[in-house]
Amino acid sequence: MKTETAAGQPSMKKEWLQRLGSTAYWFEGIKKWAWILVRFVLIFGISFVILYPILLKISISFKSMSDLYDPTVIWIPRTFTLENFKLVFTAMNYPSVLMNTLWLSSAVMLLQTITCVLAGYGFARIRFKGSGLLFAAVIFTILVPTQTIMIPLYLNFKNFDVMGLIELFRGSPANLINTYWPFLISAALGMGVKTGLYVYIFRQFFRGIPREIEEAAYVDGAGYFRTFGRIILPNAIPSMVTVMLFSFVWQWNDSFFTNMYLNEPKVMSSMMSSSGFTIATYLTGGGQAAASYTQDPFFMSMMMNTSVLMAILPLIIIYLFVQRHFVESVERSGLVG
């Protein structure tokens, strides 16, 4: 009996270990597939929340008036039509507004990039008394609500003057309201939209570049500006791509400053706020008929969704072409470091 027990113990132990290993293997497989399922649900849910408004606008934009009043039509229209796009295209003078927005956003993008890359490099490499406090003030501009400086900015550009020189030669200050000059001047002087964030991105990126590269250029006889132009800027292309895209998109979508500086809708963001009434006025020639159109919530919804979709369409096209460069630039810029 003792011999049988002694001989049976190793086999039982071996069988038990095999069963335990098989159970652990299946447990690991279940855990792996459970994590894949959870990850898929999270990604799908977040993507749906982000894409839902765009998908809804696309669905409404292709609907006809009969589909809007049909409760059985939810996502897929019964009758696909392009009349909504044609109406918005004509009523909002889309080509002119598109060119104005492209010109303004591109100019602001270039000026902000030039200003912020210089400021970011200065904060990253040049140490002077009070530099930390000055950089804290730059970061503070991100936190300050723009509404708190709205009145001073408006009055400054309404009575614009440079040390009294404009009033000396013209007899009165220059009124820059309803022009593009407030946007260009603000971007060139570091007061544009989200400028503090762009300076921070460049500063973080330049701090990651080894100083030995610049020192080697100085030893070879390169000056300060030549080193910056020949060595630093080529290495800063990833962060510059990030800032340029952010600057372009934020200026394109900005409605606060455009409505404050421009009395007449000239760019996309300001046109969106009055697109419904503008289209109703175009259809009826103005007057009470236009007001009756604006009281139709279904018509207003269709026109607003179509106009918003046409406003963001250029940004979607741009992203399709530059998405690879944008992702790479974000990975290599100071946003990740």
Side-chain angles (χ1 to χ4, degrees), residues 88-99:
V88 172
F89 187 88
T90 306
M92 295 180 58
N93 195 14
Y94 186 78
S96 176
V97 174
L98 177 62
M99 292 306 299

PDB file of all heavy atoms in Angstrom, residues 88-99:
ATOM      1  N   VAL A  88     -26.943  77.534 -50.023  1.00  0.00           N
ATOM      2  CA  VAL A  88     -25.957  78.131 -49.114  1.00  0.00           C
ATOM      3  C   VAL A  88     -24.809  78.735 -49.901  1.00  0.00           C
ATOM      4  O   VAL A  88     -24.312  79.823 -49.566  1.00  0.00           O
ATOM      5  CB  VAL A  88     -25.456  77.071 -48.113  1.00  0.00           C
ATOM      6  CG1 VAL A  88     -24.300  77.615 -47.281  1.00  0.00           C
ATOM      7  CG2 VAL A  88     -26.581  76.605 -47.207  1.00  0.00           C
ATOM      8  N   PHE A  89     -24.370  78.065 -50.932  1.00  0.00           N
ATOM      9  CA  PHE A  89     -23.264  78.545 -51.756  1.00  0.00           C
ATOM     10  C   PHE A  89     -23.571  79.916 -52.355  1.00  0.00           C
ATOM     11  O   PHE A  89     -22.716  80.812 -52.359  1.00  0.00           O
ATOM     12  CB  PHE A  89     -22.995  77.534 -52.882  1.00  0.00           C
ATOM     13  CG  PHE A  89     -21.779  77.828 -53.702  1.00  0.00           C
ATOM     14  CD1 PHE A  89     -20.538  77.350 -53.331  1.00  0.00           C
ATOM     15  CD2 PHE A  89     -21.870  78.597 -54.864  1.00  0.00           C
ATOM     16  CE1 PHE A  89     -19.411  77.618 -54.091  1.00  0.00           C
ATOM     17  CE2 PHE A  89     -20.749  78.870 -55.627  1.00  0.00           C
ATOM     18  CZ  PHE A  89     -19.520  78.385 -55.241  1.00  0.00           C
ATOM     19  N   THR A  90     -24.811  80.115 -52.831  1.00  0.00           N
ATOM     20  CA  THR A  90     -25.185  81.376 -53.465  1.00  0.00           C
ATOM     21  C   THR A  90     -25.554  82.438 -52.439  1.00  0.00           C
ATOM     22  O   THR A  90     -25.108  83.586 -52.533  1.00  0.00           O
ATOM     23  CB  THR A  90     -26.358  81.150 -54.428  1.00  0.00           C
ATOM     24  OG1 THR A  90     -26.031  80.111 -55.345  1.00  0.00           O
ATOM     25  CG2 THR A  90     -26.689  82.430 -55.191  1.00  0.00           C
ATOM     26  N   ALA A  91     -26.373  82.070 -51.463  1.00  0.00           N
ATOM     27  CA  ALA A  91     -26.888  83.066 -50.518  1.00  0.00           C
ATOM     28  C   ALA A  91     -25.788  83.646 -49.637  1.00  0.00           C
ATOM     29  O   ALA A  91     -25.802  84.838 -49.314  1.00  0.00           O
ATOM     30  CB  ALA A  91     -27.971  82.438 -49.652  1.00  0.00           C
ATOM     31  N   MET A  92     -24.815  82.844 -49.243  1.00  0.00           N
ATOM     32  CA  MET A  92     -23.763  83.307 -48.348  1.00  0.00           C
ATOM     33  C   MET A  92     -22.541  83.825 -49.090  1.00  0.00           C
ATOM     34  O   MET A  92     -21.550  84.175 -48.454  1.00  0.00           O
ATOM     35  CB  MET A  92     -23.337  82.165 -47.415  1.00  0.00           C
ATOM     36  CG  MET A  92     -24.411  81.701 -46.460  1.00  0.00           C
ATOM     37  SD  MET A  92     -23.861  80.361 -45.389  1.00  0.00           S
ATOM     38  CE  MET A  92     -22.458  81.107 -44.593  1.00  0.00           C
ATOM     39  N   ASN A  93     -22.628  83.862 -50.432  1.00  0.00           N
ATOM     40  CA  ASN A  93     -21.481  84.309 -51.225  1.00  0.00           C
ATOM     41  C   ASN A  93     -20.239  83.515 -50.827  1.00  0.00           C
ATOM     42  O   ASN A  93     -19.192  84.069 -50.483  1.00  0.00           O
ATOM     43  CB  ASN A  93     -21.264  85.815 -51.039  1.00  0.00           C
ATOM     44  CG  ASN A  93     -20.349  86.402 -52.095  1.00  0.00           C
ATOM     45  OD1 ASN A  93     -20.064  85.770 -53.118  1.00  0.00           O
ATOM     46  ND2 ASN A  93     -19.882  87.609 -51.856  1.00  0.00           N
ATOM     47  N   TYR A  94     -20.393  82.208 -50.874  1.00  0.00           N
ATOM     48  CA  TYR A  94     -19.391  81.291 -50.333  1.00  0.00           C
ATOM     49  C   TYR A  94     -17.987  81.473 -50.923  1.00  0.00           C
ATOM     50  O   TYR A  94     -17.013  81.470 -50.161  1.00  0.00           O
ATOM     51  CB  TYR A  94     -19.873  79.850 -50.544  1.00  0.00           C
ATOM     52  CG  TYR A  94     -19.005  78.815 -49.899  1.00  0.00           C
ATOM     53  CD1 TYR A  94     -19.080  78.564 -48.529  1.00  0.00           C
ATOM     54  CD2 TYR A  94     -18.113  78.059 -50.657  1.00  0.00           C
ATOM     55  CE1 TYR A  94     -18.285  77.597 -47.932  1.00  0.00           C
ATOM     56  CE2 TYR A  94     -17.316  77.089 -50.055  1.00  0.00           C
ATOM     57  CZ  TYR A  94     -17.410  76.866 -48.698  1.00  0.00           C
ATOM     58  OH  TYR A  94     -16.615  75.917 -48.108  1.00  0.00           O
ATOM     59  N   PRO A  95     -17.819  81.642 -52.235  1.00  0.00           N
ATOM     60  CA  PRO A  95     -16.442  81.789 -52.755  1.00  0.00           C
ATOM     61  C   PRO A  95     -15.703  82.981 -52.170  1.00  0.00           C
ATOM     62  O   PRO A  95     -14.532  82.882 -51.801  1.00  0.00           O
ATOM     63  CB  PRO A  95     -16.651  81.944 -54.267  1.00  0.00           C
ATOM     64  CG  PRO A  95     -17.965  81.314 -54.535  1.00  0.00           C
ATOM     65  CD  PRO A  95     -18.803  81.586 -53.339  1.00  0.00           C
ATOM     66  N   SER A  96     -16.399  84.129 -52.057  1.00  0.00           N
ATOM     67  CA  SER A  96     -15.746  85.323 -51.509  1.00  0.00           C
ATOM     68  C   SER A  96     -15.405  85.147 -50.039  1.00  0.00           C
ATOM     69  O   SER A  96     -14.303  85.492 -49.593  1.00  0.00           O
ATOM     70  CB  SER A  96     -16.662  86.540 -51.700  1.00  0.00           C
ATOM     71  OG  SER A  96     -16.105  87.689 -51.108  1.00  0.00           O
ATOM     72  N   VAL A  97     -16.354  84.597 -49.277  1.00  0.00           N
ATOM     73  CA  VAL A  97     -16.109  84.374 -47.844  1.00  0.00           C
ATOM     74  C   VAL A  97     -14.995  83.359 -47.642  1.00  0.00           C
ATOM     75  O   VAL A  97     -14.148  83.510 -46.753  1.00  0.00           O
ATOM     76  CB  VAL A  97     -17.409  83.915 -47.161  1.00  0.00           C
ATOM     77  CG1 VAL A  97     -17.146  83.543 -45.706  1.00  0.00           C
ATOM     78  CG2 VAL A  97     -18.465  85.006 -47.227  1.00  0.00           C
ATOM     79  N   LEU A  98     -14.953  82.330 -48.481  1.00  0.00           N
ATOM     80  CA  LEU A  98     -13.911  81.317 -48.373  1.00  0.00           C
ATOM     81  C   LEU A  98     -12.528  81.909 -48.628  1.00  0.00           C
ATOM     82  O   LEU A  98     -11.573  81.641 -47.878  1.00  0.00           O
ATOM     83  CB  LEU A  98     -14.181  80.186 -49.359  1.00  0.00           C
ATOM     84  CG  LEU A  98     -13.145  79.065 -49.424  1.00  0.00           C
ATOM     85  CD1 LEU A  98     -13.045  78.339 -48.083  1.00  0.00           C
ATOM     86  CD2 LEU A  98     -13.472  78.082 -50.538  1.00  0.00           C
ATOM     87  N   MET A  99     -12.404  82.732 -49.650  1.00  0.00           N
ATOM     88  CA  MET A  99     -11.114  83.338 -49.964  1.00  0.00           C
ATOM     89  C   MET A  99     -10.684  84.312 -48.863  1.00  0.00           C
ATOM     90  O   MET A  99      -9.505  84.352 -48.496  1.00  0.00           O
ATOM     91  CB  MET A  99     -11.180  84.057 -51.306  1.00  0.00           C
ATOM     92  CG  MET A  99     -11.353  83.133 -52.492  1.00  0.00           C
ATOM     93  SD  MET A  99     -10.091  81.828 -52.579  1.00  0.00           S
ATOM     94  CE  MET A  99      -8.605  82.813 -52.725  1.00  0.00           C
TER      95      MET A  99
END
